[in-house]
Amino acid sequence: MDKPTKMEIIRTPATIQQRALALKREGRVIGFVPTMGFLHAGHVSLMRLARTRCDVLAVSIFVNPTQFGPNEDLEAYPRDFAQDEILCAQAGVDLLFYPESGTMYAADASVWVDEASLSTVLCGASRIGHFRGVCTVVAKLFNLVLPDLAVFGEKDAQQLRIIERMVRDLNFPVEILRGAIVREADGLAMSSRNKYLASLQRKDALCLRRSLDCAVHLFATGERDAGVLRQAMVEIIGQIPSARIDYIEIVDDMTLASVERIERTALVALAVKIGSTRLIDNDVLRA
Ligand code: PAF
């Protein structure tokens, strides 16, 4: 672990914005990692990546209500601020923005950031309004933290591409860095939602990575028919009774449009429910 630094915890949007403006006036480079807390080694790796490129490392912890649907896990979403605070201090975070409840959105907030193309597929197809909530809160956080660069994890591959598109289309002066997926020793992608898994389900959850490995292997041995890869993945997940496929898709890495033959770099992405826990994972097939 890195040497702990003196970390400031900031609880209101106005305070973080004033602090960021002062730092910018001093010419400091601000790196930013937005999170919803319940931090794990995946988040820490994003912080370490940001740390290599900035003078001031800012992290936000905010379980953003606008990106949860009515039947999703907003209330149950795991929270542990005391542990998060320790991890952030150990990772060398300078500013920890942890907004007090009710301070992020005006009661009559009516302006949204809506990405209209990449958001319509994959997770966006089953989580209506999710990416509108993500884009809106990330735009707000960028306006508060004023980062020069921000790091997003590749586990949320669609979110990452949508944020890159938002930054491009709305001219945010923020460089987006991609942080590699961090996995448990057995291959399960780290996620705050892994906490929901009972021990047998935890084993079942390995079917996501297993199915990706199969697709990667087929691709490496020359298979270019996306349908064949997809079917092999469906069969692997189908062997696990607790698993219910939300989607398994092979899409163009840039446009996220479904592909039949893999002729350009493709993203293979899946969302699977293990019991009631929805997990996502992905890999990139480089043509
Ligand atoms: O990836 C997440 O944790 C969230 O979607 C984000 C980017 C912090 C926005 O709430």
Side-chain angles (χ1 to χ4, degrees), residues 34-36 43 62 64 67 130 134 137-138 141 152 156 159:
T35 81
M36 299 208 300
H43 295 109
F62 177 58
N64 171 38
Q67 68 189 73
H130 170 67
V134 170
V137 82
V138 171
L141 289 166
F152 289 81
D156 295 297
Q159 167 174 283

Side-chain angles (χ1 to χ4, degrees), residues 86-245:
I86 294 169
L87 276 179
C88 286
Q90 286 174 338
V93 173
D94 299 297
L95 301 178
L96 177 53
F97 178 45
Y98 176 48
E100 275 163 22
S101 143
T103 59
M104 277 296 280
Y105 290 96
D108 59 351
S110 56
V111 177
W112 300 94
V113 180
D114 211 346
E115 192 288 325
S117 171
L118 305 175
S119 301
T120 59
V121 296
L122 306 177
C123 289
S126 48
R127 301 188 70 189
I128 304 302
H130 170 67
F131 288 114
R132 182 173 95 144
V134 170
C135 286
T136 303
V137 82
V138 171
K140 286 164 70 69
L141 289 166
F142 283 178
N143 284 333
L144 295 174
V145 177
L146 306 176
D148 296 276
L149 58 102
V151 187
F152 289 81
E154 283 179 334
K155 185 173 81 70
D156 295 297
Q158 185 177 16
Q159 167 174 283
L160 174 57
R161 284 156 184 75
I162 291 170
I163 297 297
E164 288 171 344
R165 178 69 65 93
M166 177 184 88
V167 162
R168 185 197 76 180
D169 287 359
L170 298 184
N171 306 93
F172 279 96
V174 181
E175 182 187 350
I176 303 299
L177 304 184
R178 296 179 168 202
I181 299 179
V182 178
R183 297 183 179 279
E184 305 283 357
D186 60 8
L188 182 68
M190 288 200 184
S191 161
S192 305
R193 289 191 168 98
N194 291 350
K195 177 191 156 59
Y196 297 144
L197 300 168
S199 69
L200 276 178
Q201 293 179 330
R202 171 69 186 67
K203 287 204 185 82
D204 288 352
L206 293 175
C207 67
L208 278 85
R209 181 63 253 182
R210 256 200 321 276
S211 71
L212 285 169
D213 284 342
C214 173
V216 168
H217 173 74
L218 285 171
F219 181 73
T221 53
E223 183 59 67
R224 292 293 179 268
D225 184 332
V228 172
L229 269 58
R230 194 179 171 283
Q231 188 50 37
M233 294 175 73
V234 168
E235 279 164 24
I236 288 172
I237 308 278
Q239 288 162 9
I240 305 297
S242 71
R244 199 156 46 75
I245 296 169

